[in-house]
Amino acid sequence: MSKDDDDDFYRPPAPTTAGLMFPARSKFTVRGFTLAMTPAERYWRQIISASQHERATCLLALADPNLWNLHDQPRPVSYIDASGRQRTHRFDYLAEYRDGSRVAMAVKPAERVERLNFRSTLAAIRRDLPKGFADKVCLITERSRHPKKVQNAELLNFFRRCPDEEADFLVAELVAGLTDELSISDLIKPLDLGARGFRAILRAIYAELLQANTRELISINTIVAPGKDRP
């Protein structure tokens, strides 16, 4: 068997596909990246972010079960500002969803949105958006998200990087017979999988096999119920 055929052979993640790279050191940006595998690509790739706000937005987008692909720093778009001048804007993310819709995401601190009157700018960008680029333009500030949701999304992303098909299969079978609410601890106890069971449960929650309150940090004491996509 060659190394190319060996599934255990380490393959580094693909680099970002971003159209703009931030300087590694800057007074205005804090560059980082998130490792992710989207349903569209099925391989690990770096998704860059220039701030914690952007990284949180990235994690929440990746946790959405309807997400198909996520593009960081997509190609810039042109628009005419209030003074009649042509300008360009590059969105932070462009999300593609399973239903074919596309959402352009502008991530900014709430203070900057107000100080720069960015909503007015975004309205002009939305008006002049090229056909087919996006179906919706979305402004995201730190007020748009719940901190516990971000923590859960980060945990999910970490657990996705430790795939466990056996544990996922056993949890899916268990969930198929679930008829009532109970704690994660009680649900996975019969499987005797330890931490593997908890990781599989979290993945099942975000696959909508189970329902849970993601505005609270998910733990073994979290109450879960049958989800809408349960087999």
Side-chain angles (χ1 to χ4, degrees):
M1 179 181 291
S2 70
K3 288 184 177 180
D4 289 338
D5 296 327
D6 186 355
D7 287 340
D8 293 328
F9 181 67
Y10 172 72
R11 298 175 179 83
T16 175
T17 59
L20 174 69
M21 289 297 293
F22 307 107
R25 298 181 67 180
S26 168
K27 294 180 180 179
F28 305 105
T29 64
V30 183
R31 194 178 82 188
F33 66 85
T34 301
L35 290 180
M37 179 188 292
T38 64
E41 296 172 331
R42 304 307 302 164
Y43 59 82
W44 291 101
R45 162 168 75 87
Q46 297 178 2
I47 299 180
I48 66 168
S49 53
S51 67
Q52 281 299 106
H53 295 316
E54 287 187 20
R55 186 169 185 274
T57 300
C58 172
L59 288 167
L60 289 171
L62 291 168
D64 188 337
N66 297 310
L67 184 77
W68 179 245
N69 208 352
L70 187 65
H71 306 281
D72 42 349
Q73 297 293 316
R75 64 180 174 87
V77 296
S78 297
Y79 69 99
I80 306 299
D81 69 11
S83 66
R85 296 180 62 185
Q86 183 171 348
R87 298 188 180 275
T88 60
H89 176 79
R90 192 187 294 269
F91 284 95
D92 298 294
Y93 298 106
L94 178 63
E96 297 181 53
Y97 294 92
R98 294 179 186 273
D99 64 1
S101 62
R102 295 158 63 93
V103 175
M105 301 177 177
V107 185
K108 291 222 181 300
E111 180 273 331
R112 287 194 67 196
V113 169
E114 300 304 325
R115 177 165 51 86
L116 301 176
N117 193 21
F118 185 70
R119 285 187 176 85
S120 176
T121 299
L122 197 61
I125 296 169
R126 184 185 293 111
R127 179 198 63 214
D128 297 338
L129 206 63
K131 185 177 181 180
F133 181 83
D135 303 290
K136 182 180 177 182
V137 168
C138 184
L139 173 61
I140 300 171
T141 75
E142 68 276 15
R143 299 171 184 170
S144 308
R145 55 182 175 264
H146 194 285
K148 290 294 188 288
K149 280 195 167 188
V150 177
Q151 287 182 268
N152 287 326
E154 184 159 28
L155 196 60
L156 171 69
N157 190 63
F158 179 72
F159 287 172
R160 282 174 170 171
R161 287 156 55 188
C162 310
D164 188 338
E165 292 184 5
E166 179 188 25
D168 289 344
F169 176 76
L170 291 173
V171 164
E173 278 197 324
L174 195 64
V175 168
L178 186 64
T179 58
D180 204 356
E181 296 182 349
L182 75 168
S183 70
I184 290 178
S185 178
D186 289 338
L187 178 60
I188 62 176
K189 190 174 182 179
L191 298 180
D192 196 25
L193 290 174
R196 294 172 61 204
F198 177 71
R199 291 193 290 267
I201 287 290
L202 192 72
R203 290 190 291 264
I205 289 170
Y206 283 90
E208 298 188 319
L209 301 180
L210 289 166
Q211 296 180 57
N213 181 7
T214 57
R215 286 178 172 262
E216 295 180 356
L217 190 60
I218 296 174
S219 71
I220 59 172
N221 298 317
T222 296
I223 301 299
V224 293
K228 66 177 184 179
D229 281 354
R230 184 180 58 165

